[in-house]
Amino acid sequence: MEQRKNPKKNSFFIDKKLKYEKVTIVLLIGIMICAMLTGCGKSASATKDGNSLRLSYEDIEKDDGSGIYVLNKDKTFSPILSDMPGYSGSTDRASSERYVWYTDNKTNITSLIPTVTQGTPLVAIYDSSDDMPDEWYLERYKNKGYTVGMHITLGDDKSMQILSEDPLSGSSAENALSQLSADDDSYNISAISGSSSLPINNVDKNMMILLGFEKNKVYTFDFYQGTKLQKVDIYADTRIFQSSQYISLKEPYKKTSKGYFIINLPLNLEDGYYYLSDLGFFRYSSN
């Protein structure tokens, strides 16, 4: 005998399936945003359209968005960028070996770096004192311009070498290196864009980075892989910043009754880019 189907039961499973699909779509959108930022921190820093977030205090409370924000003039909050690519974590001193780098290929991260001014201060929003950092400091990162998203160093004989490990995710260099047929640790460069006179003085040995590239210009690298001459075209799509100064914040914040603390930045702070403790990256402008 054919069993009759319960329409109410079927409707229940259909509704449940639709709800599940909606949740899945929301999660996928969140994952895509994190991927576009080339390193997702405690919370995403961009909308699904790639624009900087401007959250109300209620939004932050509802989503448990504890962290550091820029308080905009319209009373909204924009998160500083956490987990920047290349960042080495908390420190007690500046070091020329420390750097952050990124590419705007998938998302315009440059436009997402919030700017702190006298009128748009940094603020801390936390639900628990235990979540707040024990040490508050600024690590200044000097803008070193554009490079290719791979490490380059000099050999003892002053040969210039491409290191195949740890290229910047999403960069033109990562894509170019992934196309090579072998997995050599390094490649000796014989020419760059047709010139065998290599700019060895532009190699920063601390970061193992070749500096002095023109933004988004394509460069042809010639090198030998075994006995075979290889040529790869790589765009200078990577912006890089080098650690240059450590500033301890003795009185790190001013308490308010508005649910947030205002971060006390030094009065003579130089314009530029900074990491606040190990919490996130921002630009400071005195204007």
Side-chain angles (χ1 to χ4, degrees):
M1 179 181 295
E2 183 180 358
Q3 186 176 2
R4 295 181 63 185
K5 297 180 180 179
N6 186 334
K8 291 184 178 181
K9 185 176 181 181
N10 290 341
S11 176
F12 169 79
F13 283 113
I14 291 172
D15 289 344
K16 189 174 182 181
K17 181 180 179 182
L18 289 173
K19 289 179 180 178
Y20 174 79
E21 289 175 348
K22 289 179 180 178
V23 171
T24 301
I25 291 171
V26 170
L27 290 174
L28 287 173
I29 290 173
I31 292 170
M32 289 172 63
I33 292 170
C34 291
M36 287 190 297
L37 288 174
T38 325
C40 188
K42 295 179 181 178
S43 60
S45 300
T47 67
K48 64 181 181 180
D49 298 321
N51 298 318
S52 180
L53 290 177
R54 299 179 77 89
L55 304 171
S56 68
Y57 187 83
E58 290 72 22
D59 291 332
I60 296 172
E61 285 285 278
K62 180 176 63 176
D63 295 334
D64 189 24
S66 295
I68 307 298
Y69 296 83
V70 175
L71 176 56
N72 302 308
K73 291 184 178 180
D74 62 1
K75 304 305 179 183
T76 61
F77 299 83
S78 295
I80 60 177
L81 297 190
S82 59
D83 296 340
M84 288 288 286
Y87 180 62
S88 298
S90 60
T91 186
D92 59 2
R93 62 185 179 88
S95 170
S96 56
E97 295 181 356
R98 292 169 60 85
Y99 65 90
V100 296
W101 59 352
Y102 65 85
T103 174
D104 288 326
N105 287 343
K106 295 181 179 178
T107 295
N108 190 347
I109 295 179
T110 298
S111 68
L112 297 180
I113 300 172
T115 298
V116 175
T117 66
Q118 294 296 323
T120 56
L122 274 181
V123 299
I125 300 177
Y126 287 96
D127 291 331
S128 171
S129 298
D130 291 339
D131 293 335
M132 300 173 68
D134 296 326
E135 298 292 333
W136 293 85
Y137 60 89
L138 295 174
E139 185 181 11
R140 175 172 165 78
Y141 279 82
K142 187 175 181 180
N143 183 6
K144 302 298 288 188
Y146 279 83
T147 182
V148 288
M150 62 186 181
H151 292 287
I152 294 177
T153 189
L154 297 178
D156 293 337
D157 58 354
K158 299 299 182 181
S159 61
M160 187 179 291
Q161 302 172 352
I162 294 173
L163 304 180
S164 59
E165 288 190 354
D166 299 324
L168 175 61
S169 177
S171 68
S172 173
E174 181 194 43
N175 181 63
L177 291 177
S178 70
Q179 304 302 315
L180 299 178
S181 58
D183 295 324
D184 294 348
D185 292 334
S186 62
Y187 307 99
N188 283 347
I189 300 171
S190 56
I192 299 178
S193 294
S195 175
S196 59
S197 179
L198 301 178
I200 60 175
N201 292 330
N202 286 4
V203 175
D204 187 300
K205 296 181 181 179
N206 294 299
M207 298 188 293
M208 292 184 289
I209 292 293
L210 180 59
L211 301 173
F213 288 95
E214 184 178 336
K215 176 183 177 181
N216 289 333
K217 183 177 177 180
V218 64
Y219 294 84
T220 301
F221 287 79
D222 293 10
F223 56 89
Y224 282 92
Q225 189 176 32
T227 61
K228 299 178 180 180
L229 178 64
Q230 299 280 11
K231 291 178 178 286
V232 293
D233 291 335
I234 301 177
Y235 285 88
D237 58 3
T238 300
R239 197 174 183 188
I240 190 163
F241 303 80
Q242 186 174 34
S243 173
S244 63
Q245 186 180 10
Y246 179 94
I247 305 169
S248 179
L249 301 180
K250 302 300 183 183
E251 297 181 2
Y253 48 76
K254 179 175 67 176
K255 297 178 181 179
T256 77
S257 59
K258 300 178 181 179
Y260 57 79
F261 292 174
I262 298 174
I263 305 301
N264 291 326
L265 300 180
L267 294 177
N268 60 345
L269 188 65
E270 187 176 354
D271 288 7
Y273 294 84
Y274 295 86
Y275 235 97
L276 175 63
S277 298
D278 61 346
L279 303 175
F281 195 64
F282 68 93
R283 184 174 77 92
Y284 174 76
S285 175
S286 56
N287 297 326

